[in-house]
Amino acid sequence: MERWAKDSLFKDKVFFLTLSLAGPGLARTFADRYQLKKVQNAYIENEWEMPTSGQLGCQGFLIFNKEGTLVVPKSEPFLDVGEIAFRDVEFQLQTLLAKNDEQGEESAVLEEGQEVKIIRLTRHARVNGTLGIVKGYDKKENRYNVLLSGQSKTHQIRPFNILPLSRTVRRKKQRTSTSTSSS
């Protein structure tokens, strides 16, 4: 998170918070070990203050928009997918930042031809894990047109349900604030 907090793409636009659920000792250890300077480091003293979302950390991140609304209740877990988990967080943050461009319109973050994986679908959960290729972006619907592996027609997929499999996301100049936390 420290790297993200220093990155010009997120610096001064995103508030990063680590939240220790094991008191001040672990919070200090974590801050020292990871040399946190730009990331806010906090801890929970009382059990009744524990988040209802459950413990995340290596199990994923919580992402809130600038209004404080939880928009990603759990990003892809590092313990399950490794480094790809960080692409999920970066893409979700870039998507939030792109929502508030100068005209107030949504804008695409992924490029045509980029390989993606479908995730977090609930109504069509059987599609989760399917690979696809971005074929375009529907600005009006804020959905990517994705050609899923083994299919001949594209499907409109919300950014929340897409995991980019490469780091070829566009680095646009954005101006809004969002926050993310791990616990």
Side-chain angles (χ1 to χ4, degrees):
M1 282 199 319
E2 186 70 18
R3 180 180 59 82
W4 290 330
K6 292 177 180 177
D7 188 312
S8 63
L9 185 62
F10 304 122
K11 186 179 176 185
D12 302 324
K13 299 174 202 113
V14 178
F15 177 77
F16 291 95
L17 168 71
T18 65
L19 187 60
S20 170
L21 304 180
L26 182 61
R28 275 189 224 99
T29 299
F30 194 79
D32 292 343
R33 178 178 294 156
Y34 296 103
Q35 300 177 356
L36 300 179
K37 292 177 179 38
K38 300 286 185 186
V39 173
Q40 190 70 34
N41 190 27
Y43 63 91
I44 294 179
E45 273 188 45
N46 303 304
E47 195 168 312
W48 58 268
E49 294 175 314
M50 295 288 270
T52 57
S53 59
Q55 186 171 348
L56 295 174
C58 289
Q59 292 296 321
F61 289 90
L62 306 170
I63 301 176
F64 298 84
N65 65 13
K66 69 179 181 176
E67 289 80 25
T69 303
L70 183 64
V71 293
V72 177
K74 182 180 179 187
S75 66
E76 287 294 283
F78 179 80
L79 293 176
D80 291 348
V81 299
E83 294 290 321
I84 291 173
F86 300 126
R87 290 186 200 137
D88 183 28
V89 173
E90 290 171 355
F91 173 60
Q92 296 304 323
L93 289 173
Q94 287 178 327
T95 297
L96 281 174
L97 293 171
K99 281 185 177 185
N100 294 314
D101 66 7
E102 291 143 28
Q103 290 78 33
E105 296 178 351
E106 311 271 338
S107 60
V109 174
L110 299 177
E111 295 178 348
E112 194 169 321
Q114 188 163 357
E115 188 176 17
V116 297
K117 182 178 180 181
I118 306 305
I119 58 174
R120 294 188 282 262
L121 289 174
T122 52
R123 258 191 352 208
H124 302 288
R126 70 188 181 289
V127 179
N128 288 332
T130 303
L131 301 180
I133 302 291
V134 173
K135 292 296 184 179
Y137 178 73
D138 184 333
K139 190 182 277 194
K140 182 179 176 203
E141 297 295 323
N142 184 32
R143 285 178 168 42
Y144 286 93
N145 299 315
V146 178
L147 180 62
L148 299 178
S149 181
Q151 297 192 10
S152 58
K153 70 173 196 153
T154 62
H155 299 272
Q156 288 200 318
I157 310 289
R158 293 182 313 147
F160 175 74
N161 299 112
I162 291 177
L163 174 63
L165 295 180
S166 63
R167 286 215 165 139
T168 58
V169 290
R170 292 182 182 151
R171 296 181 68 89
K172 295 182 63 160
K173 191 174 184 180
Q174 289 94 6
R175 297 185 185 175
T176 189
S177 298
T178 58
S179 63
T180 182
S181 68
S182 69
S183 49

